Amino acid sequence: MVKKPLYRLEIAPLTVMGLTRSPFFSYLSREDVAPGSLVRIPFGRQRLQGIVFESHAFHGKLPDWMKYIERVEEPTFLTSHQRALALFLSESTLTPLGNCLKHFLVSKAKKPGVTKESVSLKKELGPLGSNERKVLRGLLKKDPFSKVLYSSEAKSKAPQEILLALFQEELSKKKQILYLVPEVLLAEWRSLEWEPYFSSKTLILIHSKLKGSELAHAWETIRNGGPAFVIGTRQALFAPFQNLSTIVVSDEEDETSYKQWEMSPRYRVREVAEELGRLHASRILFASPTPSLESILSIEKKKMEKFECSLFERAPLVSVNMRFEKKREKRAALSKPLVEAMSSVLREHAKIMLIGKQQGLSAFSICAHCRAVLRCPRCGKVLTGKKEGNFACLGCGYTSDLFPACQACGHTSFESYGVGTEKIEREVRKHFPYAKILRVDRSSLEKRSGLIGLVQDIRAGKFDILIGTHSLLKLPNLPKTSLIAMIEADSLLAFPEFRGEERLSRDIERTRLLAQKTAIVQTFEPERDLYSLWPKSPFLDIAKILMGEREALKYPPYTRFLKCECRGRSKKESEDRANQLAAALGEVIQEKKLPLVVIPPHLPLALSKQKNYQLLLRFPNDFPLPSSLIKILIRFSRNCIFDLDPLSLN
């Protein structure tokens, strides 16, 4: 009787482990198990799931310590590209592999049947103009894994027609396409907008508001390998693509929603999308009328090509000095010139859009006794006032009781500052009680059913006044909106953040591109140099000024930052740990004469009540971190959180 061979499997358990050891554990199996399979394994006293990365026939004496897997739960659950992307994510963000693999796991649905439905566009496209045909030919000729900046105008339909023609060409070749959007609202918007053009078997939607069964079915449809046009948020990066030919990162690739900052792995969509493009040899399009400074620098260095499909038409910009308005009416959200402009627009039966910084009644509140800012006791973020009378954290979801006490002095009286979308709506209803008002913010988008209804109402123009956050500025092909106003433009400049002026410039540019007649910006600092430039200069001209300042200060895109947040049971322990890390990094940098700078440990300004210390590591944008430094970071990783290219340096 021939003895049946055994197999040695290298498995990554789906659990949190330190970076100081290998993420792989060796197990035995009596059957050959394909890499990518999901298996159940004994792990100490636990029973865990794991992903098989390697399988080899076992020869020699059987070691006593090696255990057998319990069973195979899902064969070939992750593709080779998914496993490679998970390894990249782990290495680039200094995150345990088990954490990263969880992003790729979706429960399997019943396998979709093979459809004979045509994958061509259901609705015929009109003929493209000569300029549009030229842009399309240029996009189609791009070599595998090519990066392109596709600069498109928000008001024009030409960019959409070019993209649809590109998608039609790729789908006819049985390819798969990934169209990334920063927010759920935009995913639903694009899905409804392009639904008439694609078959239901081809158009796939992926975002966090889907039910588990819907997400599983989307995952399996992609895994099935047929032609697919996937519209999704950053979660869609981890889908099991089989034949991915084109990746489109729509809007700004450095949009805050394109960065996972609140949990590990802390990754940027831009970097993960580029790695996904390398793995599949796909073309990558960064489609936006307001490109990031990173893309502009890449074009200057000839690392990226630019295609522009049409000229931009901008509405005139009017700035309102709110210092005079506050003297007239304390803490009013709407200035007198804005109310007059809104009255004129409503008399003409035209539409209005009002942009606030965030949801809620106010941006932040301070104690009337000690002037301390009211913060979340869980995560330290600023609490936002709600119309119910309590306060909520937009970061972790914490909600206070109706009478919270100041954490510093115990008093229960607070003063509110800044303007939230709920306060804007309250004032609008006071001035225009008969207007049809729609408010779009996180609280109004909690359930997908309400989200779809809201998107349909906006697309149908069932509003006189649309109120929301800056995400509304990214909605393409809006109903014609005569007046768009930024209620509190200075809010992006209120904190010491080097990206503030860039983000504000981008929002103002989009406001001017979307508005049909007038764009209004309310500001407390009209004397700023940028406010004098915005009315007469396009975004790219302002971007070059900002890039000159960044280069002089050695800020991104010319450099990169790694933020290291050191944790301890007390401030003293956190500070000591941060100083030890800074000393270890500084020693290697000095010894090897590396072009890196360690910014010493400090308490973040925004979280001064917290006990975690942080330090920053700055290095040139084209300089990979050497292995000697990575070894030090891994050694300290048990008590540190690492964030490469953080949203904020504070």
Side-chain angles (χ1 to χ4, degrees):
M1 181 176 177
V2 180
K3 189 176 180 181
K4 197 173 183 180
L6 295 176
Y7 295 88
R8 176 173 179 154
L9 310 180
E10 294 300 318
I11 298 174
L14 300 180
T15 187
V16 179
M17 295 187 298
L19 289 169
T20 52
R21 59 146 301 136
S22 170
F24 301 111
F25 289 77
S26 297
Y27 285 85
L28 286 171
S29 172
R30 292 182 174 85
E31 303 289 340
D32 191 11
V33 181
S37 297
L38 181 69
V39 296
R40 178 71 62 173
I41 55 173
F43 193 79
R45 297 181 180 179
Q46 306 176 69
R47 296 293 183 269
L48 299 177
Q49 289 180 318
I51 298 294
V52 177
F53 273 73
E54 292 182 20
S55 176
H56 305 286
F58 187 85
H59 302 287
K61 185 179 178 181
L62 187 67
D64 296 334
W65 54 267
M66 196 176 294
K67 300 178 181 179
Y68 285 87
I69 66 169
E70 292 186 351
R71 64 179 180 274
V72 177
E73 295 193 341
E74 294 287 356
T76 59
F77 193 56
L78 297 187
T79 68
S80 59
H81 291 139
Q82 284 180 298
R83 300 195 301 277
L85 190 63
L87 287 169
F88 166 81
L89 199 60
S90 174
E91 293 169 0
S92 62
T93 63
L94 295 173
T95 303
L97 180 60
N99 275 25
C100 298
L101 284 169
K102 291 178 181 179
H103 283 64
F104 297 81
L105 302 183
V106 171
S107 298
K108 274 196 172 183
K110 292 181 180 179
K111 288 196 174 184
V114 179
T115 177
K116 296 182 180 179
E117 189 174 355
S118 172
V119 297
S120 61
L121 299 182
K122 293 194 299 183
K123 184 178 176 181
E124 291 297 323
L125 285 169
L128 296 177
S130 58
N131 185 43
E132 285 73 27
R133 288 197 304 272
K134 180 180 178 182
V135 173
L136 177 61
R137 286 195 300 270
L139 293 175
L140 288 170
K141 285 180 181 178
K142 298 309 295 178
D143 297 329
F145 187 59
S146 53
K147 292 188 287 184
V148 177
L149 174 63
Y150 178 60
S151 188
S152 55
E153 184 177 354
K155 289 182 202 173
S156 173
K157 289 187 177 180
Q160 171 179 283
E161 292 170 351
I162 293 172
L163 286 178
L164 287 174
L166 174 65
F167 299 157
Q168 181 184 34
E169 181 72 20
E170 293 299 296
L171 290 173
S172 67
K173 299 174 183 176
K174 312 298 184 185
K175 302 290 187 179
Q176 294 180 331
I177 299 161
L178 173 58
Y179 187 92
L180 289 165
V181 294
E183 297 179 9
V184 175
L185 175 65
L186 288 163
E188 291 287 356
W189 184 279
R190 279 299 193 189
S191 176
L192 286 174
E193 183 179 37
W194 286 341
E195 193 175 44
Y197 294 93
F198 294 92
S199 71
S200 59
K201 301 291 184 181
T202 305
L203 184 63
I204 300 171
L205 190 61
I206 295 178
H207 59 67
S208 59
K209 299 294 183 184
L210 295 177
K211 296 177 183 177
S213 58
E214 293 173 321
L215 186 59
H217 187 74
W219 228 249
E220 284 304 303
T221 303
I222 297 169
R223 192 196 307 273
N224 199 40
F229 174 39
V230 181
I231 301 174
T233 55
R234 62 179 188 243
Q235 183 180 9
L237 285 166
F238 310 115
F241 293 103
Q242 301 291 334
N243 198 11
L244 185 63
S245 67
T246 303
I247 302 171
V248 181
V249 183
S250 69
D251 300 295
E252 300 85 21
E253 68 269 22
D254 64 345
E255 163 66 30
T256 55
S257 298
Y258 274 149
K259 166 79 176 184
Q260 181 161 291
W261 55 269
E262 74 281 7
M263 58 183 284
S264 294
R266 289 168 167 79
Y267 65 89
R268 291 174 71 198
V269 161
R270 180 189 181 109
E271 287 192 348
V272 180
E274 288 184 4
E275 181 63 19
L276 186 64
R278 287 189 192 95
L279 291 171
H280 288 271
S282 308
R283 70 169 66 84
I284 303 178
L285 274 61
F286 297 103
S288 173
T290 51
S292 69
L293 301 191
E294 283 82 359
S295 290
I296 295 172
L297 183 62
S298 294
I299 292 169
E300 290 181 357
K301 292 186 174 182
K302 302 188 183 306
K303 294 181 179 179
M304 183 185 293
E305 191 173 349
K306 180 180 179 181
F307 287 88
E308 190 168 66
C309 65
S310 58
L311 298 175
F312 297 139
E313 296 180 6
R314 297 169 177 83
L317 181 68
V318 177
S319 62
V320 177
N321 188 341
M322 292 299 288
R323 290 202 293 259
F324 296 138
E325 295 297 318
K326 291 299 179 183
K327 292 178 181 178
R328 180 182 63 83
E329 186 175 352
K330 188 178 180 182
R331 295 178 191 158
L334 308 180
S335 63
K336 185 178 179 180
L338 176 56
V339 172
E340 292 174 350
M342 290 173 67
S343 299
S344 176
V345 169
L346 291 175
R347 282 196 298 269
E348 297 172 358
H349 303 287
K351 301 188 183 303
I352 299 167
M353 186 192 299
L354 303 179
I355 305 299
K357 181 181 183 293
Q358 63 186 46
Q359 71 179 59
L361 289 174
S362 61
F364 63 95
S365 298
I366 65 172
C367 175
H369 180 257
C370 71
R371 316 308 288 176
V373 176
L374 183 62
R375 295 186 180 277
C376 176
R378 292 181 188 167
C379 65
K381 293 182 173 60
V382 173
L383 291 178
T384 300
K386 305 293 289 182
K387 64 182 179 182
E388 292 82 4
N390 57 354
F391 296 85
C393 176
L394 301 182
C396 68
Y398 167 82
T399 301
S400 73
D401 56 30
L402 289 175
F403 300 99
C406 174
Q407 297 171 348
C409 69
H411 278 248
T412 58
S413 178
F414 297 94
E415 297 176 2
S416 297
Y417 291 87
V419 180
T421 53
E422 291 179 21
K423 183 173 182 179
I424 296 171
E425 182 183 11
R426 184 179 291 181
E427 285 200 28
V428 168
R429 291 193 183 280
K430 183 178 72 174
H431 288 288
F432 309 102
Y434 301 109
K436 295 178 184 177
I437 300 171
L438 282 181
R439 176 169 59 85
V440 183
D441 54 28
R442 188 181 299 181
S443 62
S444 62
L445 304 176
E446 289 180 354
K447 294 183 179 179
R448 193 190 175 205
S449 57
L451 167 63
I452 294 174
L454 194 59
V455 169
Q456 289 172 336
D457 287 346
I458 297 173
R459 286 175 54 80
K462 294 181 179 180
F463 66 90
D464 297 320
I465 303 172
L466 184 62
I467 301 171
T469 59
H470 75 116
S471 61
L472 290 180
L473 298 173
K474 298 177 178 62
L475 295 179
N477 303 320
L478 274 166
K480 290 186 177 181
T481 307
S482 181
L483 168 65
I484 301 180
M486 295 184 66
I487 301 301
E488 202 174 36
D490 300 324
S491 58
L492 286 170
L493 307 176
F495 297 97
E497 171 52 51
F498 72 91
R499 288 191 177 92
E501 288 185 339
E502 178 188 356
R503 288 174 180 154
L504 180 56
S505 299
R506 184 176 288 118
D507 283 355
I508 289 179
E509 177 78 349
R510 282 187 172 266
T511 300
R512 296 183 65 195
L513 289 174
L514 283 173
Q516 298 295 317
K517 289 187 177 180
T518 309
I520 293 179
V521 175
Q522 296 186 161
T523 173
F524 286 93
E525 299 178 290
E527 65 277 0
R528 276 183 176 266
D529 291 340
L530 283 175
Y531 280 105
S532 62
L533 289 173
W534 278 319
K536 57 188 177 183
S537 303
F539 173 77
L540 289 178
D541 290 349
I542 295 174
K544 289 182 179 179
I545 296 174
L546 296 176
M547 289 179 71
E549 295 174 356
R550 298 273 189 92
E551 187 174 19
L553 295 171
K554 296 182 179 179
Y555 277 157
Y558 298 95
T559 60
R560 300 181 74 182
F561 283 94
L562 175 66
K563 182 161 69 174
C564 311
E565 183 181 336
C566 299
R567 300 171 294 177
R569 288 168 292 185
S570 64
K571 276 190 177 182
K572 182 68 170 60
E573 186 176 337
S574 301
E575 185 180 15
D576 290 345
R577 193 161 283 138
N579 283 323
Q580 292 168 11
L581 175 58
L585 291 172
E587 185 177 335
V588 173
I589 290 170
Q590 186 175 8
E591 178 185 345
K592 298 185 178 295
K593 297 181 180 180
L594 300 174
L596 292 92
V597 175
V598 177
I599 299 174
H602 58 281
L603 277 173
L605 178 64
L607 299 175
S608 57
K609 298 293 181 183
Q610 305 300 304
K611 61 185 179 182
N612 295 348
Y613 272 74
Q614 75 177 35
L615 61 89
L616 296 168
L617 190 63
R618 187 183 70 201
F619 52 98
N621 66 348
D622 55 354
F623 181 80
L625 288 176
S627 58
S628 54
L629 277 181
I630 292 176
K631 287 179 181 177
I632 293 173
L633 295 172
I634 289 175
R635 194 174 41 159
F636 282 85
S637 62
R638 184 176 179 182
N639 297 292
C640 291
I641 297 173
F642 301 114
D643 189 359
L644 185 61
D645 303 316
L647 289 176
S648 170
L649 301 182
N650 293 302

